[in-house]
Amino acid sequence: MKLKLLLIAAVTLFTAFQLKAQNASKITGQIKDNNGKGIATATIMLHRAKDSSLAKTAISNSAGNYEILQLKPGSYFIRTSVLGMKPTSSEVITVAEGDAATVPAITTQVAPKNLQDVTVTTKKPIVEVKADKTILNVEGTINAVGNDALELLRKSPGVMVDKDDNLSLAGKNGVQVYIDGKPSPLSGADLANYLKSMQSSQIEAIELITNPSAKYEAAGNAGIINIKLKKNKAFGTNGSVNAGYAIGIYSKYNGGLSLNNRNKKTNFFGNYNYNQGINESIFNLYRVLNLSTGDTIFDQTNRMLMRNKFNHNYKVGADYYIDAKSTIGIVVNGNASKNLMQTSGPMSIIYAPTKTTDRILVANNDNDMQRDNVNFNINYRYVGKTGKELNVDADYGYFNINSNQYQPNRYYNGTGTVNLNNNIYRMISPTKIDIYSIKADYEQPFEKGKLGFGGKVGYVSTDNDFIRYDVNDVTAVETKDKDKSNRFKYTENINAGYVNYNRPFKGFMIQAGLRVENTHSKGNSTGLKYNSTTTAYDKYDSSINRNYTDVFPSAAITFNKNPMSQFGITYSRRIDRPAYQDLNPFEFKLNDYSFMKGNTQLRPQYTNSFGITHTYKYKLNTQLNYSHVKDIFTQLPDTTEKSKAFMTKINLATQDIVSLNISYPFQYKWYSFFANVNSYYSKYKADYGGGDRKISLDVVALSFFMQNSFKLGKGYTAELSGFYNSPTVWQGTFKSISMYSVDGGLQKTVLKGKGNLKLGISDIFKTLKFKGTADFTGQQTTASGRWESRQFKLNFNYRFGNSQVKAARQRKAAIEEENKRTQSSGGIGGGN
């Protein structure tokens, strides 16, 4: 019934949009010099006569002619901008509905020398919605100041972050995270910690790609989140410096430097960012065992301090322009961080029938973590005059991740006054990840369209060593526990090829692609297991060896006969492969009552998605999507030895999900806003032996995101943003409460426009917290918590050097990009 209501609502919206569609008007004209010759690549700016606001921009052709399409009826005037010429304006001209008006030829004069350098600037909207993706322009928003990448994602349209920092998009898990267009090999806690180390000051934009074409890798059932790092391409020598301070409970500091030098043949660029500070979070876990299984309640309260000792992020690179068609480049980027996670708090062990505390476990632990990551890229690009384009990338990267955790388990009596016994461990876990890849993408005109094809070879090697020591409480001597130590090596080789074709027809456009991927993965878990019969340790070897090939088709058709009301239909098939941590069968002990273990039987999950999109007047975007997920991953809380809990990932049978997304940008003079509403219905279903091992959940959820901007004059700009996520389900088992937050910020432009001072307050009303409940395998679990979300933030940024664009081709590219943003519509989704 809920599915039918969503479908009826969507069809009603689409029908209404069609009825309201109207014919568009256009304006044509010509710009000339004082000799009567047409001026090419002139910037044409169309302004509304009533308030002089900018309506649209265009570029004149080689004869000086220009055409501005898809206009609303009204009165306008033209302003021109030409390198070395005086700015010129036209008379006011009125355009009727469906009319084609011609502006009298505009003649412009040579400018004095002090006017001959023209600076073209374009301001990106905070959020852009296109057919295949939503773009959050981080560097343009005040409220992003002082946030890390994970917090930015938490507040992004349609993105949800659960209690374990797992990502989902539009109600679906299986999100693939990219950094600068390249997939990250990290997942789970490793990915979350990496995103936390990445500051907003180094991020240009976040792309939420829900309909990737065959050009993208097939991984990512919910789609792709691409985090684009900053890279300056302006001519001359320029750069910027920034410094920031934030405080919630504890102080946090960040700073950075960016430099760039570009001329006709070379471009050198680099940036460096640093941050440190302390973040506090609270995590509570309340677990009740059913009387048929046990008679115990575990009530755990944890206070966690993440002490960020240092975090260095850097990126350096160079481009060499061989000629007008070819460019070769090299990029090196990396991250080095050191953190100390301190967890403290008791766990009360309660006798359920009388609610009497029997014992108290105090398991305060320290986890000293260090991460080093370096990535190397060499690239080549060829762009021919006939539309041919070739891109080749070769990459190597490595991660060194080290963890040294001291875990005491101290038991006290019910009043906490007498120490009964202690179990103390130290766990050392170094991980080494090496990533190799080479890929090529080629496009050329073909049969009145564009044909693209390419391939990629990728290889990832992971070596994870887990060593546990028993610590003597009196002498502090550490003895290796052979039974609880393990080494897991995992390799994954993916070979892929694709073909993609798109072509416009009269009234519609098509795109069709096919990607083939062969996956060969090997895992080897080795260690020693105590044999009680022989009283010796036997070697064990648990191996995984898989080789499979999959086909991933994608297709889209856009009906654009009426540009003011465009429809699209999309289809794609995608995959999510298990992460190496989720395959290792070894049992990791968190404390005496909590474990984690991998699952060698965990299979890839596959998703088939169908979508309908509609764009009305280039602003109101509506997307209706249905996805069927087979063998969906879920993290299940299970029991062992009656009272002990362990977490493992398994494949649920299926998930069916229907989502409806509506977004709209609005601007009037000094005020603008962007609103996004995402709703979905999901059905989880699985049976793991009947009784309390069955899952059947119907979920209806809603998320809302809104960004408001206010231009206050005299260099002041204010922002107010917020999001709301309704109750939903995490990982197929945890039913969560709603989450919501409001941020506010103020910006002042200083130092003749070269400096920006930003003030912000995140989570103004301190409402950002989580809570979830699960009832599975004889235990009822409630998890809740919050973090240091309300913070006051101060940031200063100063730009220096040459900010002028002195090349006509760059000016033309800037205007074309501005027009795309004005339209907020990208047609058929393609790769980038």
Side-chain angles (χ1 to χ4, degrees):
M1 183 63 185
K2 294 167 184 172
L3 174 59
K4 289 181 179 179
L5 288 173
L6 279 173
L7 290 171
I8 291 170
V11 171
T12 303
L13 281 170
F14 293 155
T15 304
F17 296 156
Q18 281 284 59
L19 291 174
K20 290 182 179 179
Q22 56 181 331
N23 294 327
S25 307
K26 71 175 182 177
I27 286 177
T28 59
Q30 185 184 33
I31 179 171
K32 301 178 181 180
D33 61 20
N34 53 2
N35 295 319
K37 184 179 178 181
I39 300 176
T41 66
T43 302
I44 310 298
M45 294 169 284
L46 181 70
H47 294 263
R48 298 178 181 89
K50 62 179 180 179
D51 56 9
S52 297
S53 60
L54 182 65
K56 259 194 170 181
T57 53
I59 292 289
S60 62
N61 62 18
S62 58
N65 297 318
Y66 60 87
E67 185 178 49
I68 303 176
L69 304 174
Q70 298 153 356
L71 296 175
K72 293 180 179 179
S75 297
Y76 301 90
F77 67 92
I78 295 286
R79 279 181 180 162
T80 66
S81 177
V82 186
L83 189 66
M85 311 293 282
K86 290 182 179 179
T88 308
S89 299
S90 74
E91 298 295 328
V92 173
I93 184 169
T94 301
V95 184
E97 184 175 337
D99 192 13
T102 301
V103 178
I106 299 173
T107 301
T108 185
Q109 305 293 323
V110 176
K113 288 185 177 180
N114 63 342
L115 291 179
Q116 289 189 7
D117 285 335
V118 178
T119 300
V120 178
T121 60
T122 60
K123 179 172 175 60
K124 300 178 183 178
I126 294 171
V127 181
E128 300 174 74
V129 178
K130 300 187 178 182
D132 63 331
K133 60 189 172 185
T134 298
I135 303 172
L136 180 65
N137 290 307
V138 174
E139 63 178 345
T141 174
I142 304 169
N143 289 337
V145 168
N147 281 320
D148 58 51
L150 189 67
E151 280 304 300
L152 290 175
L153 290 176
R154 191 188 305 276
K155 299 172 183 178
S156 298
V159 179
M160 294 187 66
V161 183
D162 71 9
K163 65 179 180 63
D164 298 315
D165 293 334
N166 296 305
L167 299 171
S168 62
L169 185 59
K172 294 182 287 185
N173 66 4
V175 177
Q176 179 66 54
V177 174
Y178 281 48
I179 309 295
D180 273 344
K182 298 175 176 60
S184 170
L186 302 179
S187 62
D190 287 336
L191 177 61
N193 288 330
Y194 179 65
L195 294 175
K196 288 175 183 177
S197 73
M198 190 177 295
Q199 292 295 295
S200 62
S201 57
Q202 67 186 111
I203 299 173
E204 176 185 331
I206 294 174
E207 297 179 334
L208 311 176
I209 307 171
T210 54
N211 183 37
S213 72
K215 187 175 181 179
Y216 289 95
E217 295 185 24
N221 281 358
I224 293 168
I225 295 177
N226 182 33
I227 299 174
K228 296 179 66 176
L229 304 181
K230 292 179 180 178
K231 178 183 177 182
N232 196 330
K233 295 182 179 181
F235 271 76
T237 299
N238 52 80
S240 66
V241 292
N242 69 84
Y245 171 77
I247 185 168
I249 300 173
Y250 300 94
S251 295
K252 301 148 187 67
Y253 309 89
N254 65 82
L257 170 69
S258 173
L259 288 172
N260 179 78
N261 177 272
R262 182 175 181 179
N263 56 41
K264 292 182 179 180
K265 295 296 291 183
T266 60
N267 180 35
F268 297 94
F269 55 91
N271 58 63
Y272 166 78
N273 288 272
Y274 172 83
N275 68 83
Q276 71 172 70
I278 302 174
N279 287 278
E280 181 183 272
S281 59
I282 303 297
F283 179 75
N284 304 310
L285 189 65
Y286 189 83
R287 191 161 57 93
V288 181
L289 299 180
N290 293 341
L291 291 178
S292 59
T293 307
D295 56 5
T296 308
I297 296 172
F298 299 91
D299 187 2
Q300 180 178 346
T301 300
N302 283 334
R303 174 178 176 262
M304 294 177 285
L305 286 181
M306 174 63 85
R307 298 183 182 272
N308 178 10
K309 297 181 178 180
F310 64 79
N311 185 18
H312 306 278
N313 289 277
Y314 55 89
K315 180 178 182 178
V316 294
D319 297 318
Y320 176 68
Y321 304 95
I322 302 170
D323 52 36
K325 299 178 182 178
S326 301
T327 307
I328 188 169
I330 185 169
V331 181
V332 179
N333 66 72
N335 165 269
S337 63
K338 186 174 179 63
N339 303 287
L340 176 63
M341 172 65 85
Q342 296 178 307
T343 303
S344 60
M347 181 174 76
S348 298
I349 304 170
I350 302 168
Y351 181 58
T354 62
K355 299 293 177 67
T356 303
T357 300
D358 178 65
R359 286 169 296 161
I360 297 175
L361 169 61
V362 178
N364 300 343
N365 71 71
D366 293 343
N367 189 0
D368 202 350
M369 300 176 289
Q370 187 162 341
R371 175 181 292 100
D372 296 296
N373 162 233
V374 182
N375 304 295
F376 304 89
N377 166 266
I378 184 168
N379 57 82
Y380 171 77
R381 187 185 186 198
Y382 171 86
V383 180
K385 292 182 179 180
T386 60
K388 294 181 180 179
E389 183 174 336
L390 172 66
N391 289 278
V392 181
D393 284 87
D395 293 272
Y396 167 70
Y398 70 83
F399 287 82
N400 284 329
I401 305 170
N402 292 281
S403 172
N404 185 342
Q405 182 174 346
Y406 180 72
Q407 177 64 69
N409 295 273
R410 304 184 186 278
Y411 291 89
Y412 295 85
N413 63 356
T415 61
T417 56
V418 180
N419 183 205
L420 303 176
N421 63 287
N422 301 318
N423 297 321
I424 305 175
Y425 318 112
R426 182 180 299 280
M427 293 164 282
I428 298 176
S429 180
T431 299
K432 178 78 160 55
I433 304 175
D434 291 285
I435 312 112
Y436 309 82
S437 72
I438 184 168
K439 71 168 186 172
D441 301 293
Y442 178 75
E443 286 185 342
Q444 70 170 42
F446 179 76
E447 293 294 329
K448 299 181 181 180
K450 182 165 281 190
L451 175 67
F453 53 87
K456 180 178 180 180
V457 177
Y459 180 82
V460 179
S461 172
T462 303
D463 187 353
N464 177 253
D465 197 4
F466 182 86
I467 308 168
R468 200 185 92 169
Y469 295 90
D470 294 327
V471 182
N472 187 289
D473 192 24
V474 178
T475 65
V477 173
E478 299 183 1
T479 305
K480 182 178 178 179
D481 188 337
K482 300 177 182 179
D483 210 30
K484 299 297 183 182
S485 298
N486 166 268
R487 187 168 188 175
F488 185 61
K489 294 183 177 182
Y490 182 77
T491 61
E492 186 175 79
N493 170 222
I494 300 176
N495 304 302
Y498 76 90
V499 61
N500 195 67
Y501 179 70
N502 60 73
R503 177 180 172 179
F505 292 87
K506 188 176 181 179
F508 67 97
M509 301 169 63
I510 63 166
Q511 176 261 317
L514 184 68
R515 187 177 184 93
V516 179
E517 293 189 350
N518 170 260
T519 305
H520 186 198
S521 58
K522 288 183 178 181
N524 187 27
S525 181
T526 58
L528 297 173
K529 197 74 175 177
Y530 181 72
N531 188 323
S532 58
T533 304
T534 62
T535 66
Y537 285 91
D538 299 331
K539 291 184 178 180
Y540 73 86
D541 187 335
S542 179
S543 298
I544 305 163
N545 194 339
R546 295 176 180 173
N547 195 332
Y548 52 95
T549 300
D550 288 302
V551 176
F552 302 97
S554 63
I557 181 169
T558 299
F559 300 95
N560 56 2
K561 185 176 182 180
N562 181 356
M564 304 301 285
S565 181
Q566 300 186 44
F567 279 97
I569 301 173
T570 63
Y571 165 76
S572 65
R573 182 175 188 259
R574 302 190 63 76
I575 186 177
D576 262 313
R577 301 173 181 89
Y580 75 91
Q581 304 100 317
D582 299 329
L583 293 169
N584 187 1
F586 183 71
E587 189 177 86
F588 299 89
K589 177 179 283 191
L590 304 179
N591 60 41
D592 281 351
Y593 286 89
S594 301
F595 303 82
M596 290 187 69
K597 61 186 296 186
N599 176 11
T600 59
Q601 303 303 311
L602 192 64
R603 303 180 300 276
Q605 63 179 22
Y606 295 89
T607 299
N608 286 278
S609 294
F610 304 84
I612 300 174
T613 65
H614 180 265
T615 302
Y616 179 63
K617 291 188 176 181
Y618 300 101
K619 289 187 176 182
L620 183 58
N621 290 273
T622 307
Q623 299 175 352
L624 177 68
N625 183 272
Y626 165 74
S627 297
H628 175 77
V629 187
K630 179 184 177 183
D631 291 333
I632 183 175
F633 299 152
T634 187
Q635 185 166 282
L636 284 185
D638 214 332
T639 55
T640 182
E641 300 177 26
K642 291 188 177 182
S643 62
K644 297 179 180 180
F646 71 86
M647 302 292 290
T648 189
K649 276 193 176 180
I650 62 174
N651 296 101
L652 272 176
T654 60
Q655 180 194 21
D656 290 282
I657 183 167
V658 177
S659 63
L660 179 64
N661 185 286
I662 300 174
S663 62
Y664 183 74
F666 172 82
Q667 182 171 352
Y668 180 74
K669 295 184 179 180
W670 52 270
Y671 172 68
S672 65
F673 79 79
F674 172 85
N676 177 275
V677 179
N678 184 78
S679 61
Y680 66 88
Y681 164 77
S682 181
K683 173 73 175 179
Y684 295 90
K685 190 173 183 181
D687 188 345
Y688 295 105
D692 58 11
R693 302 184 67 86
K694 292 178 68 175
I695 295 176
S696 182
L697 290 174
D698 292 273
V699 183
V700 176
L702 173 77
S703 65
F704 176 74
F705 170 88
M706 189 169 185
Q707 180 93 30
N708 301 271
S709 297
F710 311 85
K711 292 183 179 180
L712 306 178
K714 296 185 179 180
Y716 285 96
T717 305
E719 280 184 11
L720 188 67
S721 61
F723 78 93
Y724 169 81
N725 293 329
S726 72
T728 184
V729 172
W730 301 327
Q731 298 286 315
T733 54
F734 271 89
K735 297 179 180 179
S736 74
I737 63 171
S738 60
M739 294 179 66
Y740 51 97
S741 174
V742 175
D743 299 346
L746 180 68
Q747 174 180 283
K748 176 68 168 74
T749 301
V750 296
L751 301 176
K752 298 180 179 180
K754 291 187 175 183
N756 281 310
L757 185 64
K758 298 179 181 180
L759 304 174
I761 301 178
S762 60
D763 194 17
I764 296 172
F765 303 107
K766 205 175 181 180
T767 55
L768 204 51
K769 56 187 177 181
F770 67 86
K771 184 177 182 180
T773 58
D775 190 351
F776 187 75
T777 63
Q779 64 173 323
Q780 297 170 348
T781 304
T782 301
S784 63
R786 62 175 308 117
W787 50 94
E788 198 177 339
S789 57
R790 185 164 66 183
Q791 297 181 22
F792 170 78
K793 302 173 182 181
L794 174 66
N795 181 271
F796 176 73
N797 179 275
Y798 178 75
R799 300 183 303 277
F800 57 86
N802 181 23
S803 62
Q804 294 178 334
V805 180
K806 296 183 178 179
R809 63 181 182 181
Q810 277 210 316
R811 183 155 44 86
K812 181 177 179 180
I815 296 302
E816 288 174 348
E817 182 64 21
E818 177 67 14
N819 278 338
K820 291 178 183 178
R821 294 188 184 110
T822 301
Q823 294 174 357
S824 295
S825 175
I828 295 175
N832 62 353

